[in-house]
Amino acid sequence: HDKGNWQVWHNGGIISLGVALKNDSIIHVALDKPELGYYAMMEKNVYEDGWWNEGSVVYHFYPLRGILLSAEALRCRGINLYDKKLVKMFSSPVNMLYPDLTFPSQNDGWYGTTLVSQCGLYELMALRSKEPIFKQLLELCYTKIKRTSAESLINGMDLSTKGKPLRLKSYLFPDLGVGILRSENQTVALKYGPSGGIHGHPDKLSVSIHDGKKEVLPDLGTTAYGVPDCKLWYQKTFSHNTVTVDEENQLKSSGKLVRFEPSSQGGILVAEANDAYEGVKMTRTLYLENSKLHDRFSCQSDQAHIYDYVLVLREAIPFGGLADTSIIKKYERITNVVSKKQREPLVFTLSGGTKVRIQVDSAEEFEVISGTAPGIPPTGTQEGSDAYPLIIRTKGKILDIKTQWEFSN
């Protein structure tokens, strides 16, 4: 009695049997059974903003393929599943895209997942919905791969060989709880929404940043579930670009949108998470204007805590720290640890030219900590790579950190 993404495929199997036998009573079971049928699943598991409720691109397309195949099979029985919600399930991922047609790897999901791998599904949706955005998307995808899928034969429409950029704007998914700020080349994603169930990660107010060429601040997604690092690292709060309190994982919770003001240069996005840690109020404010991003993270509590502000970078940042194996014992998958105490802002430049300045508003010294950790997970024959967490540690009742990013275009 699975009520999650597997049940979509169970229903699809029953639908196929009913279609093959021309037996609508069998089809009726798959469509209308309380709690487990197609309509119940769509009502329970698909948000109004078009996303499957596990909050992962991978676990969105997995049931979506089964849903689309069911919709295609039922056309010969005069049953139309191509309603607004199904179309929304295809348009929503488009508004999540990075410029290179990959996605942020939020929650459980494989890093580098690309919409290009879903062209077959979009061939069918372009044909059935007649939405221009899907045709434009296919034209862009086929500048990267050849049009050879079976679904393209079913579609048959003529496509331009010169794909045009999508020119996506800043966008909000209010039910998924993800806000996207975009300027000319940059894309910044902030995650604050529901936990995502068994495939969710404890990373409220985490961000990921794409500079137009690559992700400079990645969400690593997850590795294969049987690999120890899955639970020891990838599904931990401290492997994400957010704040970890007292070296513990966040509680399962849902944050709240405070403000979203998009603009042609980016816009403002503010969210809070007041239930991720007991007694700690957390707020993150992002302001993107062209090639500059201002990021402010604040925490408030009546009790003193250890606050670890983490940026999971793709390259090591030298700052003159000394080896220190004892400072972050609970973060066991971070090795080659170095640390340094300082008061002045931390300033560095990434290899692509992006400049970063981190300022801690406090009269006390703070600790800068970095090391080496599992990074982008291996996939298939492609080797993985290391990540280099940069941690700003403060102690007290209040955290107030301002990070400025100046991107090189």
Side-chain angles (χ1 to χ4, degrees), residues 85-303:
K85 179 170 276 193
L86 182 53
V87 174
K88 191 80 170 180
M89 291 184 76
F90 279 86
S91 62
S92 288
V94 178
N95 286 303
M96 180 74 81
L97 283 170
Y98 285 143
D100 60 2
L101 300 184
T102 63
F103 297 97
S105 299
Q106 295 170 347
N107 289 344
D108 283 348
W110 320 131
Y111 188 88
T113 296
T114 173
L115 193 138
V116 175
S117 65
Q118 306 297 333
C119 280
L121 299 187
Y122 279 89
E123 288 275 11
L124 295 176
M125 182 50 72
L127 175 65
R128 305 304 178 203
S129 71
K130 309 300 182 186
E131 292 285 342
I133 185 63
F134 298 139
K135 182 179 179 181
Q136 182 185 356
L137 179 67
L138 288 172
E139 290 173 342
L140 183 58
C141 287
Y142 288 131
T143 64
K144 298 178 178 292
I145 61 171
K146 292 183 178 180
R147 191 185 186 193
T148 58
S149 69
E151 293 88 350
S152 66
L153 296 176
I154 298 174
N155 182 335
M157 66 175 59
D158 292 330
L159 299 178
S160 171
T161 58
K162 298 180 180 180
K164 297 179 180 179
L166 295 176
R167 304 296 182 192
L168 298 173
K169 300 178 181 180
S170 296
Y171 199 87
L172 181 70
F173 302 101
D175 303 306
L176 181 67
V178 173
I180 307 288
L181 294 179
R182 292 186 175 94
S183 60
E184 183 177 353
N185 295 310
Q186 288 72 44
T187 305
V188 183
L190 172 65
K191 179 171 177 273
Y192 65 87
S195 71
I198 62 172
H199 291 298
H201 288 190
D203 64 336
K204 294 295 165 288
L205 304 188
S206 64
V207 299
S208 53
I209 301 174
H210 196 289
D211 68 0
K213 296 180 180 179
K214 67 176 183 179
E215 237 183 356
V216 294
L217 194 67
D219 190 324
L220 300 173
T222 191
T223 187
Y225 300 138
V227 175
D229 276 345
C230 181
K231 293 187 179 296
L232 292 176
W233 174 247
Y234 291 98
Q235 294 178 341
K236 297 287 190 180
T237 299
F238 52 80
S239 69
H240 296 83
N241 304 302
T242 184
V243 167
T244 298
V245 178
D246 296 331
E247 301 179 293
E248 299 292 340
N249 277 340
Q250 294 181 4
L251 302 172
K252 281 190 175 182
S253 61
S254 182
K256 179 182 177 182
L257 178 71
V258 176
R259 183 181 177 189
F260 178 64
E261 294 182 12
S263 73
S264 59
Q265 292 81 37
I268 300 173
L269 179 59
V270 185
E272 62 184 17
N274 296 333
D275 299 315
Y277 292 103
E278 186 174 353
V280 180
K281 296 182 178 180
M282 306 168 65
T283 304
R284 193 161 204 166
T285 301
L286 301 174
Y287 172 42
L288 178 64
E289 185 177 21
N290 296 318
S291 62
K292 294 183 179 180
L293 170 67
H294 303 272
D295 174 13
R296 182 178 184 180
F297 205 125
S298 61
C299 298
Q300 293 183 333
S301 177
D302 293 333
Q303 305 294 324

Side-chain angles (χ1 to χ4, degrees), residues 46-113:
V46 181
Y47 292 135
E48 289 302 315
D49 59 18
W51 282 99
W52 188 263
N53 62 4
E54 290 176 293
S56 160
V57 170
V58 169
Y59 286 101
H60 179 83
F61 281 113
Y62 174 68
L64 187 54
R65 179 173 292 274
I67 291 169
L68 191 72
L69 293 176
S70 296
E72 283 294 293
L74 287 172
R75 292 182 71 251
C76 69
R77 303 301 298 169
I79 299 173
N80 182 14
L81 298 184
Y82 284 95
D83 57 10
K84 291 183 179 180
K85 179 170 276 193
L86 182 53
V87 174
K88 191 80 170 180
M89 291 184 76
F90 279 86
S91 62
S92 288
V94 178
N95 286 303
M96 180 74 81
L97 283 170
Y98 285 143
D100 60 2
L101 300 184
T102 63
F103 297 97
S105 299
Q106 295 170 347
N107 289 344
D108 283 348
W110 320 131
Y111 188 88
T113 296

Side-chain angles (χ1 to χ4, degrees), residues 283-356:
T283 304
R284 193 161 204 166
T285 301
L286 301 174
Y287 172 42
L288 178 64
E289 185 177 21
N290 296 318
S291 62
K292 294 183 179 180
L293 170 67
H294 303 272
D295 174 13
R296 182 178 184 180
F297 205 125
S298 61
C299 298
Q300 293 183 333
S301 177
D302 293 333
Q303 305 294 324
H305 296 281
I306 299 173
Y307 296 109
D308 287 337
Y309 171 86
V310 180
L311 299 179
V312 181
L313 300 171
R314 301 182 68 171
E315 57 190 272
I317 302 300
F319 58 89
L322 299 177
D324 190 340
T325 59
S326 63
I327 193 168
I328 51 173
K329 284 186 175 180
K330 287 190 177 181
Y331 303 162
E332 57 187 280
R333 292 302 289 123
I334 303 179
T335 59
N336 304 319
V337 177
V338 295
S339 69
K340 176 185 177 182
K341 291 186 177 181
Q342 66 181 67
R343 283 191 173 90
E344 67 276 9
L346 178 65
V347 180
F348 57 89
T349 301
L350 299 176
S351 59
T354 293
K355 298 177 181 179
V356 184

